Amino acid sequence: MSESLLCVLTEDLLIRVLHHLHSHADRKSWRLVCKHLHRVESLTRTTIRILRIEFLLSLLHKFPNIQELDLSLCPRIDDGAVRIMLTQGSPTWTRGLKRLLLSRATGLGHSGLEQLVRACPLLEAVDVSHCWSFGDREAAAISCGTGLREVNMDKCLGLTDIGLARIAVGCSRLQSLSLKWCFEISDLAVDLLCKKCLHLKFLDVSYLKLLIWFSVLTHHPIPLIFGLMFIFCCFTTPERVEITSESLQSIASLLNLEVLVMVGCSLVDDAGLRYLENGCPLLKAIDVSRCNCISSSGLISLVSGHQDLVQIGAGYCLSELSAPLVHCLKNLKQLSVIRIDGVRVSDFILQTIGKNCKSIVELGLSKCVGVTNMGIMQLVSGCDSLKILDLTCCRSITDAAISTIADSCPDLVCLRLESCDMVTENCIYHLGSSCLLLEELDLTDCSGINDTALKYLSGCSELLRLKLGLCTNISDIGLSHIAYSCPKIAELDLYRCVYIGDDGLAALASGCRKLMKLNVSYCNRITDKGMEYLSHLSELSELEMRGLSNVTSIGIKAVALSCKRLADLDLKHCEKIDDSGFWALAFYSQNLRQINLSNCNVSDVVLCLLMGNLKRLQDAKLVHLFKVTVKGVELALRACCGRIKKVKLQSSLRFLISLEILETLQARGCKVRWD
Amino acid sequence: MDKEESLCTNTWTQTNRGNGLQTNLSSDPSSSDYGVRVETPFKDFNQPSQMQSLLSKNVTKIAVQENCAPSDLSGTNILQNWDASLMLNNLSFLEKKVHQLQEIVCLIASQKGQTFGERNELLTQEQQLITSDLTSIIVQLISSAGSLLPSARHTLTNTSPLIQQLCQLQGITVPSASGSGQSSVQPQINGANKLSESSVQNDQSNNCELEQKYKVEEHELKDEEDGDDGENLLPGSYEILQLEKEEILAPHTHFCTICGKGFKRDANLRMHMRGHGDEYKTAAALAKPHKESESQPELIKRYSCPYAGCKRNKDHKKFQPLKTILCVKNHYKRTHCDKNYTCSRCHIKKFSVMADLKTHEKHCGKDKWLCSCGTTFSRKDKLFGHIALFQGHTPAIPMEDNRRTTCLPDHDNQDNSKARGMSFSFGLNPSSENGVQNVMDVKGNMDDPVTCFSPLNFEANFGGYNEFTQPQFDDSEGSFSFLIPESFKSGGVSSSDNVL
């Protein structure tokens, strides 16, 4: 009956219908209806994300019109796998491929990458971000793709000027390039890039070594000594700083550049920004956050040169937002996003922004000093189109301000109020009744939030992400209000909400069926019963349940059996879970990608089993396993060393584990962190 | 003539006063005159302001001379349209001047016998003036000759290169003036180098010292061999010397400035110099080797390469002369000789000039910046400049920094997997033999990309723990299907779980 009905619809119509299905679950249901629909779906599908390499070849056969291949979540992508893909797969699958996502594919070598890139004649985008072991050779392999428009090499730690030069010369049609955390890149290569790739529209040079080092110092203690050496060099030879401006000078020559991200480039100064003033005529968005050496005057010159600017990020780079700068902002008619985190502001400044920047959609005032009720009220009274407002750590904000926000900004989608202690249920009432479009609300560490507040909040039925971490005054009653009124919630943080227990989870399991990410760490009231409720959440993919001292193997087994999509599991300090629980995980949670077993009660054998059996496991934290011997850790590492990408081990094991294993891990692209 | 003399004396007294000041300044009043004389050039050298004044005086005098000879018509615009009568005027004027100079030199020569002490110093000053006069004469000579060639006009309007050369010439003839000329006109020559050089050889006579200096400079600037193309000397305005091949290749370091003959030792050169005339037989005469040539305007010496067909050979159509004997030597060895010196580091690069080898060895191995075209650079910025300039060139990635080999050697793998299997059997519960088997399989996998897709893998994994009854995994089919896609049974359902 239904099948005959579907037969009436032409493929053309079916395809149209299919275009309106976006979520994976919906598409899966579609595929399951009948062969006909399945075929339509297979033929029209353009993107595919491979989770297990075993299925790669058949999937490539099945979906002949693939344009985007995502192997970033697939373990064990190495040169051999690439060879098999290219030789044994259908001969045509690479022909239409346009995007290749290889983020975190650390096992891949340059020869495999080159084969892949060469096999795809239409390739437009390659993403090898976070392949920390990648360097110049891999860059050279990428540069074989002469038609590439988009390259992402974030955190390819081995990339130097030479590699970037290869890309600059090889991929002259490049439009988007991200080089975040490529510490070895210097101004020389940036200059060459700007000479060779004239079509660049997007450039991310955040945290580049020559341009920074200060933030490297604060964030990564290890290269401290190099950092100090570098700073020494900088200060003894002033022309070093000059080089930085030169880099911006060459960037300024890019006529098509629209987005420039240079977060944490501490050597960029006002002189550099002045180069930008006269260059990059199409610049739409700029982020100079954490650039310690720039001042208001530099920003003013930048802004005065670009009247069409849409987005400005200037967090943590100015000590104070000066009146002349705000005056300049006034001229930017298109400006819609301002982020000035960590800057001292005054009521007057906020008022000026509110009066002049009417079209502002997103405003970031996170950790700003001097944000008061008065300032916020004056600000929002003008900006009625505000959608995203970040007031993280603006501690003097009270109900009055939030109520005004709720009343003046009906379109508000995202509100972050972390650590705003004075916020109580009164303002949440206004939010719940006025901001019906609210999707994201961060109330972390707002001790004023209680069950009544959550009841009021349940008016926001569109909520997707809710953070209630450290709200110690909420209980199961409040949570059940949310659970029953906000069915769309996908992400919920209940970190250290100590009064949340099994009943709350029961409400969640019945109300929020789409929950994908849940944090119930240190909610000690939760027992095995609660875990059984959780097991009904079939979409759950990330579960953080640290320190649940009342959960035993029975609870975790329930989750392992039912939550098939579970990919990220944190069991740190769940000491009551014993081997049988982990065995269950090893056999049922076949989609697990990350696991934290620190301080867990796991034995040698089960650890080996777990690591060997979880075919998709890529990241494991194995610290303080008091029942596991050195031998056990070694065996576990051997069992998983073909596919694991990151492993955290106790530093006391550093010299006990055989060197050969560590070398093998290293050679397979696995990073070992020592705790 | 009177006017000239008055001018001369005027400048002379001025400079004399300056020198007097210098003498007073010198801390030791008991220093001999000779000492003062030797000292002054260096003092002068250290005081650029005075140098400037000296030089500017020379220049202004040239201007004055031009003014006092109306037929010369000091502008360049006149020279542009050449006519014979004007040239004749010029020549007669020059002749007059040469005569004047001749008389002055005669006067000095007659005084020379009686001059001692302070007079000696005056003499030096006079010589300076004479050389500057000579310079101006040569300038005029060349300029009038240059007016014949329209192409040379440009160099006339901009006389600075000429002056530069002349000052060099001056430097050879008169030591004290040479310092000033070089330092102010030729700033590219390393002054410090010269100073240190001269201080080392302070004990020698002024003249020799300067000659030495010149050699050193030539050695330093040996690349000028090709760089002097732009000097635009007119054919015939200089004397061409051509040394024979044997002479060029002889390991000489001292050369006669008159005939170009080379010697191993300076003493031999001095012996040789005696043959050029009696004046070289006294120590005092040795200090002035060019005295003879002062009586008549000396032609600039340029050298020709003996190799027929070479551009540096005088018979070549576009002959470009070589500046010095050292240039001849280096040129001949570099272009027409075998490269016998091999770099001891790279064993690739060969040189025919020892100095080139030394320079290369200093940087050999540091040329780590390699372009795809094969060119190496010692500096990264040079490489990047090169790449920016040439389309399609990319930096080459050196082979040695192969950090991570993607495939371990085969025999290594074998050993590893065996070792792992062994160690595992120790650690694991010995009762489950299957378990051992299974983990060995796992290891086989990771070393061999093909076996990792083997269906055995999956079966073995569960062999040891089959007490765990469980739903059928997608895995079983999947791992089969990877190699044999046809065997995929209910593929649509099972695989849909593995794609997002």
Side-chain angles (χ1 to χ4, degrees), chain A residues 292-323:
Chain A
N292 298 339
C293 286
I294 64 171
S295 70
S296 289
S297 71
L299 270 180
I300 288 171
S301 56
L302 174 74
V303 165
S304 59
H306 298 92
Q307 300 291 329
D308 298 333
L309 224 50
V310 174
Q311 192 171 334
I312 297 180
Y316 306 104
C317 62
L318 305 172
S319 58
E320 194 170 12
L321 199 64
S322 65

Side-chain angles (χ1 to χ4, degrees), chain A residues 459-532:
Chain A
C460 303
S461 55
E462 297 291 315
L463 267 182
L464 288 176
R465 282 176 290 278
L466 181 59
K467 294 196 173 182
L468 297 168
L470 294 163
C471 293
T472 44
N473 295 323
I474 61 168
S475 70
D476 291 341
I477 301 159
L479 189 58
S480 53
H481 285 299
I482 295 290
Y484 291 127
S485 325
C486 311
K488 293 187 176 173
I489 282 192
E491 195 180 323
L492 183 61
D493 185 359
L494 297 169
Y495 177 81
R496 281 190 203 273
C497 295
V498 285
Y499 294 114
I500 298 290
D502 295 340
D503 295 341
L505 295 190
L508 269 187
S510 60
C512 308
R513 306 289 299 177
K514 302 206 164 164
L515 203 63
M516 291 168 72
K517 197 173 167 184
L518 179 64
N519 189 342
V520 288
S521 299
Y522 306 103
C523 301
N524 280 321
R525 292 193 176 188
I526 295 172
T527 66
D528 288 342
K529 210 172 157 194
M531 298 317 283
E532 264 167 48

Side-chain angles (χ1 to χ4, degrees), chain B residues 184-195:
Chain B
S184 52
V185 187
Q186 270 195 313
Q188 77 268 29
I189 290 179
N190 189 355
N193 191 354
K194 232 167 23 176
L195 257 179

